[in-house]
PDB file of all heavy atoms in Angstrom:
ATOM      1  N   SER A  31      25.928  43.575  55.723  1.00 93.00           N
ATOM      2  CA  SER A  31      26.246  42.236  55.238  1.00 93.00           C
ATOM      3  C   SER A  31      27.759  42.044  55.073  1.00 93.00           C
ATOM      4  O   SER A  31      28.296  40.991  55.385  1.00 93.00           O
ATOM      5  CB  SER A  31      25.525  42.006  53.912  1.00 93.00           C
ATOM      6  OG  SER A  31      25.707  40.692  53.469  1.00 93.00           O
ATOM      7  N   THR A  37      30.750  32.383  59.471  1.00 88.00           N
ATOM      8  CA  THR A  37      29.440  31.814  59.765  1.00 88.00           C
ATOM      9  C   THR A  37      29.173  31.793  61.272  1.00 88.00           C
ATOM     10  O   THR A  37      28.101  31.403  61.691  1.00 88.00           O
ATOM     11  CB  THR A  37      29.339  30.382  59.212  1.00 88.00           C
ATOM     12  OG1 THR A  37      30.400  29.624  59.778  1.00 88.00           O
ATOM     13  CG2 THR A  37      29.446  30.379  57.700  1.00 88.00           C
ATOM     14  N   TRP A  50      27.451  54.314  60.073  1.00 97.00           N
ATOM     15  CA  TRP A  50      27.303  55.582  60.781  1.00 97.00           C
ATOM     16  C   TRP A  50      28.491  55.859  61.703  1.00 97.00           C
ATOM     17  O   TRP A  50      28.805  56.994  62.015  1.00 97.00           O
ATOM     18  CB  TRP A  50      26.015  55.577  61.621  1.00 97.00           C
ATOM     19  CG  TRP A  50      24.763  55.545  60.787  1.00 97.00           C
ATOM     20  CD1 TRP A  50      24.667  55.773  59.442  1.00 97.00           C
ATOM     21  CD2 TRP A  50      23.432  55.285  61.241  1.00 97.00           C
ATOM     22  NE1 TRP A  50      23.362  55.662  59.037  1.00 97.00           N
ATOM     23  CE2 TRP A  50      22.580  55.370  60.111  1.00 97.00           C
ATOM     24  CE3 TRP A  50      22.861  54.991  62.490  1.00 97.00           C
ATOM     25  CZ2 TRP A  50      21.190  55.168  60.205  1.00 97.00           C
ATOM     26  CZ3 TRP A  50      21.490  54.792  62.574  1.00 97.00           C
ATOM     27  CH2 TRP A  50      20.668  54.881  61.435  1.00 97.00           C
ATOM     28  N   GLU A  90      20.439  37.589  62.616  1.00 97.00           N
ATOM     29  CA  GLU A  90      20.603  37.640  64.069  1.00 97.00           C
ATOM     30  C   GLU A  90      21.932  38.300  64.427  1.00 97.00           C
ATOM     31  O   GLU A  90      22.147  38.722  65.559  1.00 97.00           O
ATOM     32  CB  GLU A  90      20.524  36.207  64.625  1.00 97.00           C
ATOM     33  CG  GLU A  90      20.272  36.134  66.115  1.00 97.00           C
ATOM     34  CD  GLU A  90      19.765  34.756  66.545  1.00 97.00           C
ATOM     35  OE1 GLU A  90      18.963  34.160  65.797  1.00 97.00           O
ATOM     36  OE2 GLU A  90      20.190  34.282  67.617  1.00 97.00           O
ATOM     37  N   GLU A 163       6.900  34.675  79.458  1.00 91.00           N
ATOM     38  CA  GLU A 163       7.891  33.698  79.008  1.00 91.00           C
ATOM     39  C   GLU A 163       9.230  34.369  78.669  1.00 91.00           C
ATOM     40  O   GLU A 163      10.297  33.897  79.064  1.00 91.00           O
ATOM     41  CB  GLU A 163       7.357  32.951  77.796  1.00 91.00           C
ATOM     42  CG  GLU A 163       8.388  31.997  77.263  1.00 91.00           C
ATOM     43  CD  GLU A 163       7.787  30.786  76.597  1.00 91.00           C
ATOM     44  OE1 GLU A 163       6.942  30.122  77.209  1.00 91.00           O
ATOM     45  OE2 GLU A 163       8.197  30.510  75.472  1.00 91.00           O
ATOM     46  N   THR A 178      11.817  23.809  75.488  1.00 97.00           N
ATOM     47  CA  THR A 178      10.847  23.109  74.641  1.00 97.00           C
ATOM     48  C   THR A 178      11.012  21.598  74.742  1.00 97.00           C
ATOM     49  O   THR A 178      10.027  20.862  74.732  1.00 97.00           O
ATOM     50  CB  THR A 178      11.001  23.589  73.185  1.00 97.00           C
ATOM     51  OG1 THR A 178      10.697  24.977  73.152  1.00 97.00           O
ATOM     52  CG2 THR A 178      10.061  22.846  72.244  1.00 97.00           C
ATOM     53  N   ARG A 196      -2.410  14.688  58.070  1.00 96.00           N
ATOM     54  CA  ARG A 196      -1.862  15.454  56.944  1.00 96.00           C
ATOM     55  C   ARG A 196      -0.658  14.704  56.369  1.00 96.00           C
ATOM     56  O   ARG A 196       0.486  15.162  56.461  1.00 96.00           O
ATOM     57  CB  ARG A 196      -1.437  16.858  57.410  1.00 96.00           C
ATOM     58  CG  ARG A 196      -2.592  17.709  57.987  1.00 96.00           C
ATOM     59  CD  ARG A 196      -2.114  19.129  58.306  1.00 96.00           C
ATOM     60  NE  ARG A 196      -0.895  19.094  59.111  1.00 96.00           N
ATOM     61  CZ  ARG A 196       0.118  19.956  58.985  1.00 96.00           C
ATOM     62  NH1 ARG A 196       0.063  20.912  58.088  1.00 96.00           N
ATOM     63  NH2 ARG A 196       1.180  19.834  59.763  1.00 96.00           N
ATOM     64  N   TRP A 201       7.357  13.175  53.885  1.00 84.00           N
ATOM     65  CA  TRP A 201       7.718  12.552  52.607  1.00 84.00           C
ATOM     66  C   TRP A 201       7.577  11.040  52.635  1.00 84.00           C
ATOM     67  O   TRP A 201       7.059  10.451  51.708  1.00 84.00           O
ATOM     68  CB  TRP A 201       9.147  12.925  52.213  1.00 84.00           C
ATOM     69  CG  TRP A 201       9.407  14.385  52.321  1.00 84.00           C
ATOM     70  CD1 TRP A 201      10.359  14.994  53.073  1.00 84.00           C
ATOM     71  CD2 TRP A 201       8.693  15.440  51.669  1.00 84.00           C
ATOM     72  NE1 TRP A 201      10.283  16.354  52.935  1.00 84.00           N
ATOM     73  CE2 TRP A 201       9.270  16.659  52.078  1.00 84.00           C
ATOM     74  CE3 TRP A 201       7.626  15.478  50.783  1.00 84.00           C
ATOM     75  CZ2 TRP A 201       8.828  17.889  51.640  1.00 84.00           C
ATOM     76  CZ3 TRP A 201       7.169  16.708  50.342  1.00 84.00           C
ATOM     77  CH2 TRP A 201       7.774  17.885  50.769  1.00 84.00           C
TER      78      TRP A 201
ATOM     79  N   THR B  44       2.756  26.491  76.646  1.00 94.00           N
ATOM     80  CA  THR B  44       3.949  26.430  77.489  1.00 94.00           C
ATOM     81  C   THR B  44       3.603  27.052  78.844  1.00 94.00           C
ATOM     82  O   THR B  44       2.674  27.851  78.935  1.00 94.00           O
ATOM     83  CB  THR B  44       5.125  27.209  76.868  1.00 94.00           C
ATOM     84  OG1 THR B  44       4.850  28.608  77.016  1.00 94.00           O
ATOM     85  CG2 THR B  44       5.303  26.873  75.397  1.00 94.00           C
ATOM     86  N   ARG B  61      23.740  32.381  53.954  1.00 92.00           N
ATOM     87  CA  ARG B  61      24.165  33.550  54.708  1.00 92.00           C
ATOM     88  C   ARG B  61      23.839  33.436  56.188  1.00 92.00           C
ATOM     89  O   ARG B  61      24.638  33.810  57.033  1.00 92.00           O
ATOM     90  CB  ARG B  61      23.511  34.814  54.111  1.00 92.00           C
ATOM     91  CG  ARG B  61      24.130  36.116  54.567  1.00 92.00           C
ATOM     92  CD  ARG B  61      25.602  36.156  54.252  1.00 92.00           C
ATOM     93  NE  ARG B  61      26.165  37.497  54.301  1.00 92.00           N
ATOM     94  CZ  ARG B  61      27.419  37.744  54.656  1.00 92.00           C
ATOM     95  NH1 ARG B  61      28.210  36.742  55.008  1.00 92.00           N
ATOM     96  NH2 ARG B  61      27.899  38.961  54.637  1.00 92.00           N
ATOM     97  N   SER B  81      14.255  15.411  56.414  1.00 97.00           N
ATOM     98  CA  SER B  81      13.531  15.360  55.137  1.00 97.00           C
ATOM     99  C   SER B  81      12.657  16.592  54.954  1.00 97.00           C
ATOM    100  O   SER B  81      12.188  16.869  53.854  1.00 97.00           O
ATOM    101  CB  SER B  81      12.683  14.089  55.038  1.00 97.00           C
ATOM    102  OG  SER B  81      11.542  14.174  55.865  1.00 97.00           O
ATOM    103  N   GLU B 112      30.971  25.705  53.833  1.00 95.00           N
ATOM    104  CA  GLU B 112      30.510  25.262  55.161  1.00 95.00           C
ATOM    105  C   GLU B 112      29.047  24.832  55.122  1.00 95.00           C
ATOM    106  O   GLU B 112      28.649  23.859  55.770  1.00 95.00           O
ATOM    107  CB  GLU B 112      30.667  26.390  56.204  1.00 95.00           C
ATOM    108  CG  GLU B 112      32.082  26.540  56.713  1.00 95.00           C
ATOM    109  CD  GLU B 112      32.190  27.643  57.766  1.00 95.00           C
ATOM    110  OE1 GLU B 112      31.319  27.717  58.656  1.00 95.00           O
ATOM    111  OE2 GLU B 112      33.140  28.444  57.678  1.00 95.00           O
ATOM    112  N   SER B 174      18.824  31.482  65.693  1.00 96.00           N
ATOM    113  CA  SER B 174      18.537  30.691  66.902  1.00 96.00           C
ATOM    114  C   SER B 174      17.184  30.010  66.799  1.00 96.00           C
ATOM    115  O   SER B 174      17.022  28.852  67.201  1.00 96.00           O
ATOM    116  CB  SER B 174      18.531  31.580  68.157  1.00 96.00           C
ATOM    117  OG  SER B 174      19.806  32.107  68.396  1.00 96.00           O
ATOM    118  N   HIS B 178      15.987  26.100  66.757  1.00 98.00           N
ATOM    119  CA  HIS B 178      14.881  25.626  67.583  1.00 98.00           C
ATOM    120  C   HIS B 178      13.894  24.817  66.735  1.00 98.00           C
ATOM    121  O   HIS B 178      13.463  23.723  67.128  1.00 98.00           O
ATOM    122  CB  HIS B 178      14.190  26.830  68.234  1.00 98.00           C
ATOM    123  CG  HIS B 178      13.194  26.472  69.288  1.00 98.00           C
ATOM    124  ND1 HIS B 178      11.977  25.914  68.983  1.00 98.00           N
ATOM    125  CD2 HIS B 178      13.228  26.598  70.641  1.00 98.00           C
ATOM    126  CE1 HIS B 178      11.309  25.706  70.128  1.00 98.00           C
ATOM    127  NE2 HIS B 178      12.050  26.111  71.138  1.00 98.00           N
ATOM    128  N   ARG B 186       8.182  28.468  69.743  1.00 97.00           N
ATOM    129  CA  ARG B 186       7.393  29.025  70.863  1.00 97.00           C
ATOM    130  C   ARG B 186       6.875  30.382  70.411  1.00 97.00           C
ATOM    131  O   ARG B 186       7.653  31.271  70.117  1.00 97.00           O
ATOM    132  CB  ARG B 186       8.277  29.203  72.099  1.00 97.00           C
ATOM    133  CG  ARG B 186       8.989  27.943  72.514  1.00 97.00           C
ATOM    134  CD  ARG B 186       9.998  28.212  73.607  1.00 97.00           C
ATOM    135  NE  ARG B 186       9.370  28.332  74.914  1.00 97.00           N
ATOM    136  CZ  ARG B 186       9.098  27.297  75.695  1.00 97.00           C
ATOM    137  NH1 ARG B 186       9.387  26.068  75.295  1.00 97.00           N
ATOM    138  NH2 ARG B 186       8.536  27.476  76.871  1.00 97.00           N
TER     139      ARG B 186
END
Side-chain angles (χ1 to χ4, degrees):
Chain A
S31 185
T37 57
W50 293 347
E90 197 162 322
E163 177 150 308
T178 297
R196 299 185 309 143
W201 311 122
Chain B
T44 74
R61 195 57 163 149
S81 74
E112 281 181 44
S174 295
H178 190 288
R186 305 172 79 86

